[in-house]
Amino acid sequence: MIALNGVAASSGAALGQFFLLTTEIPATSPAPSSLTPDEEKRSLTAAIEYVGADLSERAERSTGELRDILLAVSEIATDPALIEEAHTFIDQGHTASFSISQATNIFKELLESSGGYLAERVSDVANICDRILCRIAGVEYPEIPHFQQPTILIARDLSPADTTDLQSEQILAIVTEGGGPTSHTAIIARSRSIPAVVACPGIVEYAKSHYGQLLAVEATTGEVIFDPPTEIQSRIIAKIERIRKRKEQLVTRTPFGYQTVDGRTIPIYANIGRVADTKVAIEAGADGVGLLRTELLYLDRATAPSLDEQIEIYTQLFQPFASQKVVIRTLDAGADKPMAFINFDDEPNPALGVRGYRTIHEHEDLMRVQLQAIATAIKNTGTDVWVMAPMITLPEEAQNFVDLARSFGIKTVGVMIEVPAAIFHADEITKICDFVSIGTNDLGQYLHAADRESAPLAGFNDPWQPALLRAVHLVAQAGLRNNCPVGVCGEAASDAALAAVLVGLGVSSLSCSVSTLRDVAAGVTALSFSDLQLAAVAALGAPTSQTAKNLAREHLLALEELGL
Ligand code: PEP
Ligand code: MG
């Protein structure tokens, strides 16, 4: 038996044969080309056109987040700047293959130095180059095969294009050497309920030397075991069976929200970013929306959306929740989500730069138009809409935002707590605001000074990190003292066990990704509030994220029964 440990990227378990996706891409050489530059350019153009068209076709046959990602990737593939860069190498006498690899390397370095969301695009650009190289060489790109029987897929990493035609029903689990909890692999796996472990060092080499052996994957803990002994096999089989049974059952919900077994009501909301998400959120049993990321509506825009345009889309987004609650967030532009119509100077460190609420100093007009549009959409629909600002650091910023939003007639105004300084101002901020919502994704990265997109730093961004739990506790307790509801809308609320701990820490509502909502609801409704409090106390005292998880789970045994 060989046991490896990676980062849990979804939940569930698997036992079965594995397939190692090896990506043998034709090598390139700096040797001079035997063709003329024009011939090389024609060959490159043909390959780029083919790959660009293939990627947009893949986008067309995809849905949701994957579709958006693929559309962006197909634009990168045909970016004139990339082609121009490759042409300069061709003009120096190099082959089309060598030239596109060199141009790609320059692009990758640029993206890497930008950090955040752009740095995450590096693997997309590399994948585009691999596809172009295969096309030039006239060989098939090594796609994920259509498996005849359910199989565990192992890969160095998976690009969005790789996953387009993934037959979810034949994939028992995914294990990758690269990636992190927010990588494409993790997003795709969660949205399709495939157990997944990412950032698992050594998995590719072990897979090569252990071909044909049985593999066990525990996606809740991140354990991957080659040739598991019979007791581990039985444990995994029993867990898979428990998950199957749970998925067949409906989770009961009261009109006020989900309830623990001893009757404590915990509303569970959905995080959404598009009109299409409203339907799936309702189908998943959401109590409303706990985070509407408005910047996602306009990421690809060169100019700011008009007042009327915003009124229309917010009205569409609020309408389906007429009898429920929607928490809408003002634009969180900047860092990993730059927006063309909000101009930033070249910031050396965008995650620590002018982001979210901080853009108000240069763009108060945009904030005013957005608040006006939200206020009008509230009148149009009658939905109970709460409005909040991201990236608030100081109480005076919270006060300014509350005053500004109220001046537009918005009744319920709050802020996100995701900057460490705001934790120490939690008492003042929870006195100023009608509610606060903790963004554990950013709070985790800023507390640990670790980029949330970085695979090598994924451990710091584990939402079970005790420093993050202690921060949530401080804010939740301030909220209780000042009668201010405290929700959590970061990814931490999408892990059923951690969601339970957050409630035990004093958080009054949860907002999670739609794909995990049923699991989170199943967990909360299977436990008593005192279990949640005991789990929270145990996790708070833990020295590491792993011990926090283990100690908390000792009080959450009902989750085990549900395979969560
Ligand atoms: C967060 O930071 O936890 C959050 C919910 O906001 P976003 O992920 O959009 O930054
Ligand atoms: Mg955030």
Side-chain angles (χ1 to χ4, degrees):
M1 170 181 108
I2 303 251
L4 302 177
N5 265 297
V7 175
S10 60
S11 63
L15 180 71
Q17 295 296 327
F18 64 86
F19 173 85
L20 173 64
L21 184 71
T22 46
T23 26
E24 296 296 333
I25 302 300
T28 62
S29 151
S33 165
S34 56
L35 303 178
T36 66
D38 276 350
E39 284 168 327
E40 289 291 4
K41 282 180 191 170
R42 272 201 295 281
S43 141
L44 180 63
T45 307
I48 288 177
E49 277 173 3
Y50 173 86
V51 171
D54 176 51
L55 290 170
S56 16
E57 253 172 51
R58 282 168 194 267
E60 289 314 317
R61 43 178 211 270
S62 308
T63 52
E65 213 158 349
L66 181 59
R67 183 172 187 278
D68 299 342
I69 295 170
L70 281 168
L71 282 175
V73 175
S74 69
E75 268 173 40
I76 302 177
T78 48
D79 188 333
L82 182 68
I83 300 170
E84 204 177 302
E85 196 69 60
H87 281 187
T88 59
F89 286 94
I90 293 183
D91 287 334
Q92 291 161 21
H94 293 293
T95 62
S97 303
F98 180 77
S99 303
I100 190 68
S101 326
Q102 294 302 105
T104 304
N105 287 344
I106 294 171
F107 247 63
K108 285 191 332 200
E109 274 165 30
L110 271 175
L111 292 173
E112 245 151 15
S113 62
S114 311
Y117 178 79
L118 289 176
E120 214 201 338
R121 301 272 77 80
V122 167
S123 58
D124 299 342
V125 177
N127 183 259
I128 291 167
C129 182
D130 288 349
R131 287 172 183 271
I132 295 173
L133 291 178
C134 286
R135 187 68 190 169
I136 294 174
V139 298
E140 288 293 327
Y141 175 84
E143 303 282 1
I144 299 170
H146 282 186
F147 299 111
Q148 297 307 313
Q149 56 199 38
T151 303
I152 298 170
L153 177 65
I154 299 179
R156 253 187 219 292
D157 209 351
L158 293 177
S159 77
D162 291 338
T163 56
T164 329
D165 299 319
L166 198 71
Q167 300 166 290
S168 311
E169 58 301 340
Q170 293 291 59
I171 307 286
L172 290 175
I174 298 175
V175 185
T176 62
E177 183 127 1
T182 55
S183 64
H184 297 315
T185 310
I187 292 169
I188 298 293
R190 277 197 291 268
S191 70
R192 301 199 189 177
S193 300
I194 301 174
V197 174
V198 296
C200 183
I203 186 71
V204 168
E205 284 313 308
Y206 277 108
K208 280 183 190 157
S209 53
H210 291 75
Y211 237 115
Q213 282 188 0
L214 207 54
L215 187 69
V217 180
E218 257 284 13
T220 322
T221 57
E223 259 178 305
V224 181
I225 305 159
F226 287 94
D227 192 19
T230 43
E231 62 276 16
I232 292 186
Q233 291 186 33
S234 317
R235 193 186 80 200
I236 300 272
I237 291 168
K239 181 165 182 172
I240 295 168
E241 184 51 22
R242 289 199 298 276
I243 295 171
R244 195 190 58 74
K245 281 209 185 116
R246 168 170 54 83
K247 296 218 166 189
E248 279 172 9
Q249 282 159 12
L250 271 182
V251 187
T252 9
R253 173 164 153 240
T254 74
F256 312 104
Y258 290 94
Q259 280 189 344
T260 58
V261 289
D262 48 354
R264 167 87 48 151
T265 301
I266 312 292
I268 304 178
Y269 305 112
N271 293 349
I272 69 167
R274 297 172 309 169
V275 175
D277 296 340
T278 56
K279 188 163 171 273
V280 266
I282 291 168
E283 280 167 7
D287 285 314
V289 174
L291 171 63
L292 169 47
R293 291 180 163 105
T294 55
E295 66 282 357
L296 299 188
L297 300 166
Y298 306 116
L299 276 185
D300 56 350
R301 289 282 298 258
T303 52
S306 68
L307 174 67
D308 287 346
E309 195 183 336
Q310 291 192 62
I311 293 173
E312 190 185 333
I313 196 144
Y314 302 150
T315 304
Q316 282 178 42
L317 284 156
F318 298 166
Q319 219 134 37
F321 301 98
S323 55
Q324 290 178 315
K325 192 176 100 182
V326 173
V327 181
I328 184 168
R329 178 172 79 182
T330 54
L331 295 175
D332 186 15
D336 58 339
K337 291 172 285 194
M339 305 184 84
F341 55 89
I342 300 184
N343 293 329
F344 297 100
D345 295 332
D346 256 354
E347 292 187 297
N349 203 343
L352 300 182
V354 184
R355 173 184 172 189
Y357 177 77
R358 298 168 177 191
T359 59
I360 194 168
H361 304 295
E362 290 279 312
H363 296 284
E364 190 174 329
D365 49 333
L366 278 179
M367 176 79 87
R368 285 180 172 276
V369 172
Q370 186 171 31
L371 291 172
Q372 176 64 65
I374 293 170
T376 312
I378 295 173
K379 283 206 189 89
N380 289 349
T381 56
T383 304
D384 180 17
V385 175
W386 297 19
V387 182
M388 65 180 180
M391 288 294 288
I392 293 289
T393 313
L394 302 173
E396 64 188 73
E397 291 177 313
Q399 187 68 62
N400 288 343
F401 179 70
V402 169
D403 293 345
L404 183 63
R406 291 218 178 110
S407 74
F408 287 89
I410 296 168
K411 287 204 182 68
T412 316
V413 189
V415 302
M416 287 196 68
I417 304 275
E418 50 186 349
V419 176
I423 301 161
F424 301 102
H425 289 302
D427 250 316
E428 294 100 308
I429 292 177
T430 52
K431 280 181 188 147
I432 293 167
C433 295
D434 299 317
F435 73 100
V436 298
S437 183
I438 306 176
T440 48
N441 308 338
D442 277 313
L443 190 51
Q445 84 161 340
Y446 294 130
L447 276 174
H448 297 92
D451 188 335
R452 61 194 255 189
E453 306 292 349
S454 163
L457 304 182
F460 285 125
N461 283 301
D462 182 336
W464 282 94
Q465 279 292 353
L468 180 61
L469 301 182
R470 291 172 202 180
V472 170
H473 185 233
L474 288 174
V475 179
Q477 295 309 309
L480 289 170
R481 274 194 299 279
N482 299 317
N483 206 12
C484 172
V486 175
V488 168
C489 63
E491 278 300 300
S494 294
D495 167 332
L498 185 48
V501 167
L502 296 172
V503 176
L505 291 172
V507 157
S508 54
S509 69
L510 301 164
S511 189
C512 57
S513 59
V514 177
S515 55
T516 55
L517 201 141
R518 282 202 178 94
D519 287 356
V520 173
V524 166
T525 53
L527 295 157
S528 70
F529 188 60
S530 52
D531 292 335
L532 306 189
Q533 286 181 307
L534 289 172
V537 170
L540 272 186
T544 67
S545 53
Q546 195 55 51
T547 39
K549 191 188 250 188
N550 295 345
L551 292 173
R553 287 191 78 98
E554 284 177 17
H555 299 280
L556 304 173
L557 297 176
L559 295 187
E560 210 43 52
E561 285 306 304
L562 298 168
L564 285 166

